[in-house]
Amino acid sequence: MSIKEQLQHKIDFKTKPTGSLGQLEDIALQIGMIQNTLSPKIEKPAMLVFAADHGLADENVSPYPKDVTWQMAMNIATGGAGISVFCRQNGIDLKVIDAGVDFDFPENTPIISSKIARGSKNMMHEPAMSIDECKLALVKGAEFVNAEAKKGCNTISFGEMGIGNTSPSSLLIHRFLGLPIEECVGAGAGVQGDALTHKQKILIEVSEKYNPSTPLETLATFGGLEIAMMVGAFIEAKKQNMVILVDGFIASAAMLTASQFEPTLKENCIFCHKSYEKAHITLLEKLGVEPILDLRLRLGEGTGAAVALSIIRSAVAFINEMASFEDAGVSNKE
Amino acid sequence: MSIKEQLQHKIDFKTKPTGSLGQLEDIALQIGMIQNTLSPKIEKPAMLVFAADHGLADENVSPYPKDVTWQMAMNIATGGAGISVFCRQNGIDLKVIDAGVDFDFPENTPIISSKIARGSKNMMHEPAMSIDECKLALVKGAEFVNAEAKKGCNTISFGEMGIGNTSPSSLLIHRFLGLPIEECVGAGAGVQGDALTHKQKILIEVSEKYNPSTPLETLATFGGLEIAMMVGAFIEAKKQNMVILVDGFIASAAMLTASQFEPTLKENCIFCHKSYEKAHITLLEKLGVEPILDLRLRLGEGTGAAVALSIIRSAVAFINEMASFEDAGVSNKE
């Protein structure tokens, strides 16, 4: 029997009606297949939050001032943000990485310095990054994941903080899925009405300016420093054969970008929640995946993944700990 | 400001876009209102699993033999069932109560004896319970909840084990919501095709036999011993002002029944998951509630509630632990 068949057999002979644990069974099967074992484990789960500023924020695509990027990076690192709370609750090791924030953090701040530039460029005028900057971001992202793997982490997730970063995410989805830009642009952190129309107009204008041909060029043109670092992190996490928890809209856009480089990436990815961003729902449908949670979350930072980890732990717990019909002396279906 | 307004203000000034924690915000608000505090807490969560047999099982409404009720009650009590695993994972105190299993458990079994009869009667021939048996079940259910409250438990959930118990649940929903029986009957633990048609036919026949007029008579006629005990437990949990986690189809049918006795019950209830039973979805819609999880679970036992507790803990954690814009020195929307 293949490992898949063995896992399915183990799941089917647990003391429950066949299939009655629904998506928990799918998750247990997937993690068992990733780890090639009938006894999958979640070890030292980690959350890497990448922060960066975006030149495009100058075009008023977000209702929040740009300073919120560094302020929130500090808040995350010092324990007061949503992601800080949910990582603490679920025993997830949280690290905040400065991928390109336009601010000089004080020396003793618990933020890992990996600044590639003081924010990406304004795409209305020039590509977000140079090819070299983009390549460097990919390498750095991979290094952070590699360091976690060396410490025995087998389950990882990526969050982000960057005022304006739903815009590059929309542009990347637009390019990689070939969808009209309007279908890829949502409310972000609270853009509505005229402001939403303005955001769509800006992104259409940006999209029409450039015609990159490779995934690397596309990422450099339309991405952001934290997004590029996440892309590198996703690719390395697949190489390390980790269980990868994919958060919401921006993380999923980075995952989609990473899968242009590493087409089998999806095998290791668990999609943690369906965000309230319309474009995220479209993306999940195109990927043919079923997210775990649907709680109308749209905070980002990795929060959906951190909250979903306990559900993933439930899946791992049942396959390891539930008795089989035989073990428990329970009669099966007649 | 009312407590509701104060809670909403506290939620809205956390460092996140307004409303961006979606349903977690609704849950935090609800628990804060139940506990009348800006700092809600989940204390000593408990899961009471009521087990009983059903006379109607003689009519082949379930694909599992009746012995599975006692076998699974033992499996739950000794740690091998789904609910055992999920309670252990989430730090929930699990108790298994024999409300009416047709089996003599050995003396030293970790099952609480509260047997009212050796199963309910076959409704094809007579009402499931006498009025006195039903009243006794209500009282016993309340006593178990009262004992938990005395120990400092403020969050409770109810599970069940009873081969054939989707049938009484369907009948109760049919009567209390006035829905056609066909809309209230689903696959249960795996009934399909001809077997499903047979189950529907049996339930229509049963329904046509009786015309009870009060909620108590309806419960006695169409219920089950474990369901009646759950109903008593729901009513007492509301009296004790607990946070009540409602599991799937059968627990929701018991909650609907309990709310005929205690119309404000819903205020204290958090609906934990949308089961794969069609009738459960209908019931949730009629109640106008939004369940937390939608994982295609249909195991029962309280499993959906146990798995969802971690999400409820996330809601309580964010309202207590996240920094406000002011505390964290983060700029709010412009």
Side-chain angles (χ1 to χ4, degrees):
Chain A
M1 279 204 289
S2 70
I3 186 73
K4 184 175 180 178
E5 287 165 331
Q6 289 177 58
L7 281 160
Q8 194 61 58
H9 184 272
K10 185 173 181 182
I11 291 167
D12 288 345
F13 284 80
K14 295 292 184 184
T15 43
K16 58 175 184 54
T18 312
S20 62
L21 282 176
Q23 213 173 335
L24 295 181
E25 300 192 11
D26 303 339
I27 297 168
L29 180 69
Q30 185 185 358
I31 300 181
M33 286 175 70
I34 292 169
Q35 299 182 351
N36 194 34
T37 175
L38 297 179
S39 305
K41 284 195 171 48
I42 302 294
E43 304 270 23
K44 302 193 179 178
M47 170 69 69
L48 307 181
V49 175
F50 300 99
D53 274 304
H54 294 263
L56 197 69
D58 292 345
E59 306 296 334
N60 295 314
V61 289
S62 170
Y64 286 88
K66 210 171 111 179
D67 275 348
V68 168
T69 302
W70 72 260
Q71 291 167 347
M72 280 301 301
M74 291 281 273
N75 190 29
I76 295 171
T78 55
I83 188 62
S84 330
V85 171
F86 301 137
C87 283
R88 217 155 45 222
Q89 181 205 347
N90 288 303
I92 303 169
D93 187 19
L94 169 65
K95 291 194 171 64
V96 185
I97 294 151
D98 173 7
V101 181
D102 188 10
F103 182 76
D104 295 311
F105 292 103
E107 283 285 331
N108 57 353
T109 313
I111 292 176
I112 299 166
S113 177
S114 191
K115 210 191 284 289
I116 288 173
R118 293 181 73 102
S120 56
K121 302 289 191 302
N122 184 342
M123 298 180 230
M124 282 292 270
H125 308 302
E126 54 190 313
M129 287 165 271
S130 70
I131 294 290
D132 280 350
E133 283 172 330
C134 187
K135 280 184 178 167
L136 185 58
L138 291 171
V139 168
K140 295 263 193 187
E143 283 173 4
F144 288 115
V145 171
N146 195 273
E148 295 301 320
K150 282 200 176 125
K151 284 186 286 182
C153 158
N154 74 358
T155 302
I156 202 156
S157 187
F158 311 119
E160 39 57 47
M161 172 45 58
I163 294 303
N165 70 5
T166 56
S167 291
S169 304
S170 294
L171 285 161
L172 291 168
I173 293 171
H174 154 69
R175 284 298 167 123
F176 290 126
L177 290 185
L179 293 171
I181 197 93
E182 293 84 346
E183 282 184 36
C184 303
V185 179
V191 180
Q192 290 171 325
D194 287 352
L196 182 56
T197 314
H198 169 73
K199 184 175 171 183
Q200 291 182 339
K201 193 181 135 281
I202 294 285
L203 297 196
I204 290 168
E205 217 170 304
V206 167
S207 174
E208 285 170 354
K209 274 182 106 73
Y210 308 96
N211 206 6
S213 57
T214 65
L216 180 66
E217 279 174 29
T218 306
L219 176 59
T221 306
F222 296 121
L225 293 157
E226 86 282 40
I227 293 173
M229 222 173 260
M230 279 176 99
V231 171
F234 269 111
I235 296 168
E236 181 67 16
K238 171 65 191 171
K239 277 196 193 130
Q240 297 288 343
N241 196 35
M242 287 170 156
V243 174
I244 308 171
L245 312 191
V246 185
D247 187 44
F249 181 53
I250 295 148
S252 299
M255 180 272 165
L256 175 68
T257 307
S259 59
Q260 311 302 310
F261 297 86
E262 176 50 69
T264 63
L265 173 59
K266 200 173 82 172
E267 293 167 4
N268 287 54
C269 291
I270 298 179
F271 291 81
C272 289
H273 82 110
K274 186 193 277 187
S275 121
Y276 216 47
E277 281 281 333
K278 183 187 65 178
H280 188 226
I281 300 170
T282 309
L283 174 54
L284 294 171
E285 279 167 8
K286 292 278 176 189
L287 289 168
V289 294
E290 188 185 25
I292 298 175
L293 299 174
D294 183 7
L295 298 173
R296 292 181 274 111
L297 305 178
R298 51 178 175 82
L299 175 52
E301 301 176 3
T303 47
V307 169
L309 180 62
S310 67
I311 308 297
I312 295 164
R313 282 198 171 111
S314 292
V316 168
F318 100 75
I319 196 172
N320 284 311
E321 298 177 33
M322 265 181 81
S324 67
F325 284 104
E326 199 176 299
D327 292 343
V330 173
S331 313
N332 203 338
K333 255 188 193 183
E334 279 170 333
Chain B
M1 279 203 288
S2 70
I3 187 73
K4 184 175 182 178
E5 287 165 330
Q6 289 176 60
L7 282 160
Q8 194 61 58
H9 184 271
K10 185 172 182 185
I11 291 167
D12 288 345
F13 284 81
K14 295 291 185 185
T15 44
K16 59 174 183 56
T18 312
S20 62
L21 283 177
Q23 213 174 335
L24 294 181
E25 300 192 10
D26 303 340
I27 297 168
L29 180 70
Q30 186 186 357
I31 299 181
M33 286 176 69
I34 292 169
Q35 299 182 352
N36 194 34
T37 174
L38 298 178
S39 304
K41 285 194 173 48
I42 302 293
E43 305 271 22
K44 302 193 178 177
M47 169 70 68
L48 307 181
V49 175
F50 300 100
D53 274 303
H54 294 263
L56 197 68
D58 292 345
E59 306 296 334
N60 294 313
V61 289
S62 169
Y64 287 87
K66 209 171 113 179
D67 275 347
V68 168
T69 300
W70 73 259
Q71 291 166 347
M72 279 303 301
M74 290 282 271
N75 191 29
I76 295 171
T78 54
I83 189 62
S84 331
V85 171
F86 301 138
C87 283
R88 214 152 50 220
Q89 181 205 347
N90 288 304
I92 303 169
D93 187 19
L94 169 65
K95 291 193 171 64
V96 185
I97 295 151
D98 173 7
V101 180
D102 188 11
F103 182 77
D104 294 310
F105 291 104
E107 282 285 331
N108 57 353
T109 311
I111 291 176
I112 298 165
S113 176
S114 190
K115 209 189 285 289
I116 288 173
R118 294 181 72 102
S120 56
K121 302 289 192 301
N122 184 343
M123 297 180 232
M124 282 292 271
H125 309 300
E126 55 189 313
M129 288 165 272
S130 70
I131 293 290
D132 281 348
E133 284 172 329
C134 187
K135 279 185 179 166
L136 184 58
L138 290 171
V139 168
K140 294 263 192 186
E143 282 173 2
F144 288 114
V145 170
N146 195 273
E148 295 302 320
K150 282 200 176 125
K151 283 185 286 182
C153 158
N154 75 357
T155 301
I156 202 155
S157 188
F158 311 119
E160 39 55 49
M161 172 46 58
I163 293 302
N165 69 5
T166 57
S167 290
S169 305
S170 294
L171 286 161
L172 291 168
I173 293 171
H174 154 68
R175 283 299 166 124
F176 290 126
L177 291 185
L179 294 171
I181 197 93
E182 292 84 347
E183 283 183 34
C184 304
V185 179
V191 179
Q192 289 170 326
D194 286 353
L196 181 56
T197 313
H198 169 73
K199 184 175 172 183
Q200 291 180 341
K201 192 181 138 285
I202 294 285
L203 296 196
I204 289 168
E205 217 170 306
V206 167
S207 173
E208 284 169 355
K209 275 183 106 73
Y210 307 97
N211 206 6
S213 57
T214 65
L216 180 67
E217 279 173 30
T218 306
L219 176 59
T221 307
F222 297 120
L225 293 158
E226 86 282 41
I227 293 173
M229 223 175 259
M230 278 176 99
V231 171
F234 269 111
I235 295 168
E236 180 66 17
K238 170 66 190 169
K239 276 195 195 134
Q240 297 288 344
N241 196 35
M242 288 171 155
V243 174
I244 308 171
L245 311 191
V246 184
D247 188 45
F249 181 54
I250 294 148
S252 299
M255 180 272 163
L256 175 69
T257 307
S259 60
Q260 313 300 312
F261 297 86
E262 176 50 69
T264 63
L265 173 59
K266 200 174 82 171
E267 293 167 4
N268 288 54
C269 291
I270 298 179
F271 291 81
C272 289
H273 83 108
K274 185 193 278 188
S275 122
Y276 217 46
E277 280 282 333
K278 183 187 65 179
H280 187 227
I281 299 171
T282 309
L283 174 55
L284 295 171
E285 279 167 9
K286 293 279 175 189
L287 289 169
V289 295
E290 188 185 26
I292 297 175
L293 299 175
D294 183 8
L295 299 174
R296 292 182 273 111
L297 304 179
R298 52 180 176 80
L299 175 52
E301 301 176 2
T303 48
V307 169
L309 180 62
S310 68
I311 307 297
I312 294 163
R313 284 198 171 111
S314 292
V316 169
F318 101 75
I319 195 172
N320 284 310
E321 299 178 32
M322 264 182 83
S324 67
F325 283 105
E326 199 176 299
D327 293 342
V330 173
S331 313
N332 204 337
K333 257 187 192 183
E334 280 169 332

